[in-house]
Amino acid sequence: MSLDAPSAGLSDVTLPLHAPPDAPEARAAKRPRLDSPSTDEGARAVTPRQEELFRTDGPARAHDTAVAAAVQANGAGEAVKGPGRPDYSLRFTIEGHKKSISAVRFSPDGRWMASASADSPIHLHSLPSFSLHRTFSLHTGGVSDVAFSADSTLLASASDDRSVRIWEITPHILQPSTGPDPSAEKGERSARVLQGHLTAVFCVAWSPRGDLVASGGMDETVRVWDVQKGRMLRVLQAHSDPVSAMQFSRDGTMIVSCSWDGYFRIWDTSTGQCLKTLVNEDNAPIASVRFTPNSKFLFTSTLDSTIRLWDYQADKVVKAYTGHVNRKYCIPAVVTADGRYLVAGSEDHKVVVWDIQTREIVNSWIAHKDVVMAVAHHPTQGILATGALEKDPVIKIWMTPAALSAQEPPAAVSSPQQNGALPPAPPEEPEGPAAAANGAPDPAAEAATVDAGEAAMQVDA
């Protein structure tokens, strides 16, 4: 792999969290641009097929094999076998957060779902009923992001209070921390409190081995932490604007980060060296970045309402996905369990689903009454979670027909579930989307309708 290493400068300007720079042209003029910036035009000679985004060199790991078997067993890949489209119907509406939903995540083992909000408490829900299992409430500021460790035993959270906290889902995983927890007197203790960011922490990610956590913040840095020892290993002077997202590669040897400055950079995890810097021609702020499962390509979501698939080794955009609205907020894009579809929220209150290979929109529906800010897909089943901003601060769970049929028969519920989660539907489910609260129709479910009549849209090459 041939990677270049341009330097990254820092700026004294700190931008508002959810507002793009007012003058991108002036900002770009302050820094030297890459000699040969990548563009969408002429860059699509390389068009990787779906399997190339997932295929790995060498024998498959046991975890990969187990996930693939679970996907097949749960019917998450049903659409691959036929010409159908991924149809999701509303199953649960989960209340409890008082302010905008900032993130939802499924654990890698599929047993848990965590949700974060601007009102600071983190809610942990257990599947398949999505009942509230536990609330983590020690952060003193809003929580912008959460992430599960690869073995699903730990949860990391990033907060406006300048800290990253590590929570034990499975007790006694970590050795006792040597540092004091300033919130211990409140009767609750997180396994680790990682402090060092100068301002709000916006994003957090785990290494595949679970020994490292990376966090990005409004202080324009990426910081790498040793989880077991609870100490900072290195500070990456990453960007000249707030860091909006980052992720470890599949083998943990690289970290990718992105920023409002319009650049995304790839770093060597062990040394902190910048290996690669890439930018799109229009230098639009980047809201989200993530590796494909084999880490050979990258998806970036930019505030020009476009999601791009990059061959970062060749410095090329190989595919672009449009049709949603994303010009103001950090809205991530996720890949479905079967690896065929790309899903993202939209500022026009919709969820949009693309076929990764053809770039067609294969489904789109009004999901919330406000901006769909957070999306997450179950690792093995056709289950999608979405969360919205403050006019509709609820989490909705959508399921494909295969996922609905794979659910265990619901048990009787004698009392309303915690956190406002809907109880399991009765055995005699109606043919339409399943959404009821204690037997009463859910107005939110009635408002969230799947626009099945919307024609699929081909993205121009």
Side-chain angles (χ1 to χ4, degrees):
M1 180 186 302
S2 176
L3 299 177
D4 58 305
S7 60
L10 285 179
S11 165
D12 294 331
V13 179
T14 300
L15 297 175
L17 187 60
H18 293 308
D22 294 331
E25 298 85 358
R27 188 189 69 249
K30 296 178 182 178
R31 300 183 305 276
R33 297 182 62 85
L34 299 183
D35 293 336
S36 302
S38 301
T39 65
D40 289 350
E41 272 58 49
R44 296 196 182 97
V46 181
T47 54
R49 299 187 61 81
Q50 171 201 340
E51 55 268 22
E52 293 178 349
L53 307 180
F54 292 77
R55 186 175 61 239
T56 57
D57 299 327
R61 296 184 302 176
H63 172 74
D64 299 333
T65 305
V67 169
V71 169
Q72 176 121 13
N74 290 305
E78 59 175 343
V80 178
K81 303 174 184 177
R85 52 196 277 160
D87 290 321
Y88 292 88
S89 58
L90 183 61
R91 176 64 170 171
F92 298 107
T93 296
I94 304 173
E95 300 177 345
H97 289 294
K98 305 302 181 184
K99 295 184 179 180
S100 301
I101 307 299
S102 55
V104 288
R105 297 284 187 272
F106 286 102
S107 62
D109 64 7
R111 296 180 56 198
W112 309 101
M113 184 192 76
S115 59
S117 169
D119 60 1
S120 78
I122 302 163
H123 293 165
L124 182 67
H125 303 267
S126 61
L127 276 64
S129 65
F130 287 91
S131 59
L132 181 64
H133 176 74
R134 189 176 175 188
T135 298
F136 304 112
S137 56
L138 291 184
H139 280 298
T140 58
V143 178
S144 295
D145 196 15
V146 290
F148 284 96
S149 61
D151 61 4
S152 303
T153 61
L154 299 170
L155 181 71
S157 56
S159 172
D160 291 349
D161 65 12
R162 305 183 184 184
S163 74
V164 174
R165 285 182 179 266
I166 309 297
W167 312 90
E168 289 187 320
I169 298 173
T170 301
H172 312 303
I173 294 297
L174 295 177
Q175 296 176 3
S177 177
T178 55
D181 185 341
S183 301
E185 66 274 7
K186 295 182 180 180
E188 183 181 0
R189 181 187 296 272
S190 54
R192 292 288 183 273
V193 183
L194 308 178
Q195 294 178 314
H197 279 281
L198 304 179
T199 55
V201 190
F202 190 63
C203 48
V204 65
W206 283 90
S207 67
R209 293 176 55 187
D211 57 337
L212 303 177
V213 159
S215 58
M218 300 293 287
D219 59 5
E220 305 167 2
T221 68
V222 170
R223 297 172 189 252
V224 182
W225 310 83
D226 182 314
V227 176
Q228 189 60 245
K229 296 180 180 179
R231 65 183 181 91
M232 188 189 310
L233 294 179
R234 60 188 55 89
V235 180
L236 310 181
Q237 303 296 335
H239 294 276
S240 57
D241 280 327
V243 178
S244 50
M246 81 271 152
Q247 186 190 29
F248 283 89
S249 61
R250 182 178 185 268
D251 61 4
T253 60
M254 296 184 296
I255 300 172
V256 63
S257 65
C258 67
S259 169
W260 293 107
D261 63 12
Y263 293 100
F264 63 94
R265 292 188 163 95
I266 299 173
W267 309 84
D268 184 289
T269 302
S270 61
T271 66
Q273 178 187 2
C274 181
L275 303 174
K276 191 89 168 181
T277 296
L278 288 170
V279 61
N280 197 59
E281 186 178 43
D282 61 5
N283 200 211
I286 303 178
S288 176
V289 65
R290 66 181 302 109
F291 284 104
T292 58
N294 63 5
S295 295
K296 294 182 178 179
F297 299 87
L298 285 166
F299 284 109
T300 61
S301 301
T302 48
L303 298 191
D304 56 1
S305 300
T306 304
I307 301 169
R308 294 176 176 86
L309 177 64
W310 289 80
D311 180 346
Y312 61 86
Q313 298 182 57
D315 296 5
K316 289 184 177 180
V317 174
V318 294
K319 290 182 185 291
Y321 307 85
T322 59
H324 66 312
V325 180
N326 187 194
R327 297 189 177 277
K328 187 176 180 182
Y329 298 96
C330 288
I331 301 175
V334 298
V335 177
T336 57
D338 58 28
R340 182 173 180 181
Y341 301 107
L342 185 69
V343 185
S346 179
E347 291 170 13
D348 59 2
H349 310 176
K350 290 184 178 181
V351 170
V352 183
V353 185
W354 294 266
D355 184 297
I356 288 179
Q357 179 61 34
T358 67
R359 292 174 284 136
E360 292 179 324
I361 291 181
V362 294
N363 208 344
S364 175
W365 70 94
I366 298 291
H368 289 270
K369 300 175 184 177
D370 206 338
V371 174
V372 180
M373 186 69 182
V375 292
H377 203 281
H378 192 276
T380 61
Q381 300 185 44
I383 303 175
L384 179 70
T386 62
L389 292 188
E390 59 188 46
K391 292 181 182 178
D392 190 18
V394 299
I395 298 166
K396 293 187 177 182
I397 307 299
W398 312 82
M399 295 187 184
T400 62
L404 283 169
S405 64
Q407 294 292 301
E408 297 178 357
V413 178
S414 58
S415 60
Q417 295 187 17
Q418 300 181 66
N419 199 30
L422 298 180
E428 54 276 3
E429 295 184 31
E431 296 181 357
N438 299 325
D442 181 6
E446 296 176 356
T449 57
V450 177
D451 187 7
E454 183 173 355
M457 183 175 68
Q458 175 70 44
V459 179
D460 294 335

